[in-house]
């Protein structure tokens, strides 16, 4: 079945000539009619997945012990930027970020893990009853911020801060504001690990992962930021989680 639609042109307009649009792909046409500068990624962009697990409180200790012993089975399969335990901003939570070359790469990893008897029997199936809730989001990194590699990122004592911003829309203006904001934060001695925007999950959301020297350093930077950006960046919601690397985390 198919439908046919007819466009009726008034007689007085039919006699007029209109400029012929140049041939272009559908996606190029969309880019022309959408807001200027809203293209934020390319076909070669890496795909990042952020996962947040809420652990049943009584099982939290067992979850950490089993993860410390067996999670290497998962880390051997694909690249993990880091695996963190939430210290403030959530209770009995863990957060981890994974990097993939593409969605096809992620699907291949999931298939491999699904058929890995050792992974399934020694870790995945035992921890399943320990999860109270699991959420994830798929993200891309902004092109102006290189994501730090855990192999080259200097391990140092400090405090990680996972910031989450929700905007009404995601465009080049939002990107420019976040870029300037991040650059100024870096000038205050804060290490910017990565800045991403969501593709799947909550729309128009930005994740920013920072590393401070300690809690007092973060407080000083927050005071400066509040003075300069008292009204924020135009976001309608901002959340923050202070997180610490798990013993098995590639990034420390």
């Amino acid at each position: 079945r198919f439908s046919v639609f007819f466009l009726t042109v008034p007689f007085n307009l039919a006699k007029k000539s209109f400029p012929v649009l140049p041939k272009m792909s559908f996606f190029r046409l969309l880019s022309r009619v959408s807001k200027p500068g809203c293209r934020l990624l390319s076909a070669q962009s890496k795909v990042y997945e952020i996962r947040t697990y809420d652990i049943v409180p009584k099982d939290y200790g067992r979850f950490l012990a089993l993860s410390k012993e067996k999670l290497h089975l998962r880390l051997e399969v694909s690249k993990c930027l880091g695996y963190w335990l939430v210290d403030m901003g959530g209770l009995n939570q863990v957060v981890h970020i994974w990097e993939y070359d593409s969605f096809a790469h992620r699907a291949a990893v999931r298939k491999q893990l699904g058929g890995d008897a050792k992974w399934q029997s020694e870790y995945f199936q035992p921890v399943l009853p320990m999860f109270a809730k699991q959420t994830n989001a798929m993200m891309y990194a902004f092109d102006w911020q290189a994501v730090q590699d855990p192999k080259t990122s200097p391990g140092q004592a400090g405090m990680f801060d996972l910031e989450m911003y929700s905007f009404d829309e995601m465009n080049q203006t939002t990107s420019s504001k976040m870029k300037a904001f991040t650059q100024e934060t870096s000038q205050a001695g804060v290490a910017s690990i990565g800045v991403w925007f969501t593709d799947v999950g909550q729309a128009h959301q930005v994740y920013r992962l920072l590393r401070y020297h300690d809690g007092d350093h973060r407080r000083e930077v927050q005071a400066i930021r509040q003075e300069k950006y008292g009204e924020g960046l135009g976001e309608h919601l901002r959340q923050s989680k202070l997180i610490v690397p798990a013993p098995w985390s590639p990034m420390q």
Side-chain angles (χ1 to χ4, degrees), residues 166-168 202 204 234-238:
S166 294
F167 294 89
D168 291 327
Q202 183 174 334
H204 312 318
E235 76 276 10
H236 60 77
L237 179 66
R238 183 171 74 88

Side-chain angles (χ1 to χ4, degrees), residues 179-250:
K179 178 181 179 180
F181 187 39
T182 300
Q183 289 175 340
E184 291 186 9
T185 303
S186 299
Q187 292 172 2
V190 181
S192 179
I193 307 301
V195 188
W196 302 267
F197 60 95
T198 56
D199 175 50
V200 179
Q202 183 174 334
H204 312 318
Q205 192 166 39
V206 171
Y207 285 85
R208 194 168 76 132
L209 182 60
L210 307 172
R211 177 162 46 194
Y212 295 89
H213 301 321
D214 51 35
D216 290 330
H217 180 212
R218 179 180 181 276
R219 181 179 60 182
E220 294 170 3
V221 175
Q222 291 289 319
I224 297 173
R225 179 170 71 177
Q226 186 175 11
E227 182 178 352
K228 186 167 185 177
Y229 298 93
E231 298 180 357
L233 300 172
E235 76 276 10
H236 60 77
L237 179 66
R238 183 171 74 88
Q239 297 175 300
S240 181
K241 294 181 185 292
L242 301 186
I243 55 181
V244 295
W248 57 88
S249 173

Side-chain angles (χ1 to χ4, degrees), residues 27-226:
F27 292 105
R28 284 184 60 200
L29 180 60
L30 279 182
S31 67
R32 294 284 183 89
V33 300
S34 60
K35 293 186 177 181
C38 63
R39 183 178 180 182
L40 300 175
L41 59 96
S42 69
Q44 290 74 41
S45 298
K46 296 280 188 179
V47 179
Y48 295 87
E49 180 176 14
I50 183 168
R51 287 178 162 249
T52 304
Y53 296 164
D54 290 48
I55 311 302
V56 176
K58 69 179 181 64
D59 294 327
Y60 189 67
R62 289 197 301 131
F63 172 82
L64 295 183
L66 188 58
S67 296
K68 184 177 180 179
E69 180 184 358
K70 297 294 184 180
L71 204 66
H72 67 90
L73 297 172
R74 175 64 183 88
L75 298 175
E76 294 167 358
V77 178
S78 67
K79 183 177 179 179
C80 177
L81 293 186
Y83 201 116
W84 295 271
L85 315 180
V86 178
D87 183 34
M88 303 179 199
L91 297 175
N92 304 306
Q93 281 187 340
V94 297
V95 177
H96 34 123
I97 301 177
W98 302 84
E99 179 184 288
Y100 299 99
D101 295 332
S102 63
F103 282 93
H105 178 208
R106 179 182 181 273
V109 169
R110 303 284 293 175
K111 182 177 180 180
Q112 179 178 343
L113 292 170
D116 188 331
K118 189 173 183 179
W119 163 255
Q120 291 289 330
S121 64
E122 296 185 12
Y123 183 79
F124 186 67
Q125 295 302 326
V127 301
L128 272 180
M130 303 180 192
F131 294 138
K133 182 181 178 182
Q134 295 173 279
T135 59
N136 72 334
M138 306 306 295
M139 317 179 294
Y140 299 105
F142 285 104
D143 58 6
W144 44 260
Q145 168 68 61
V147 178
Q148 289 195 20
D149 192 297
K151 293 181 179 179
T152 58
S153 176
Q156 60 186 31
M159 171 182 290
F160 287 88
D161 187 358
L162 179 63
E163 297 180 337
M164 295 148 281
Y165 298 82
S166 294
F167 294 89
D168 291 327
E169 59 182 351
M170 186 58 57
N171 52 35
Q172 194 61 45
T173 300
T174 305
S175 174
S176 297
K177 287 182 178 180
M178 188 59 66
K179 178 181 179 180
F181 187 39
T182 300
Q183 289 175 340
E184 291 186 9
T185 303
S186 299
Q187 292 172 2
V190 181
S192 179
I193 307 301
V195 188
W196 302 267
F197 60 95
T198 56
D199 175 50
V200 179
Q202 183 174 334
H204 312 318
Q205 192 166 39
V206 171
Y207 285 85
R208 194 168 76 132
L209 182 60
L210 307 172
R211 177 162 46 194
Y212 295 89
H213 301 321
D214 51 35
D216 290 330
H217 180 212
R218 179 180 181 276
R219 181 179 60 182
E220 294 170 3
V221 175
Q222 291 289 319
I224 297 173
R225 179 170 71 177
Q226 186 175 11

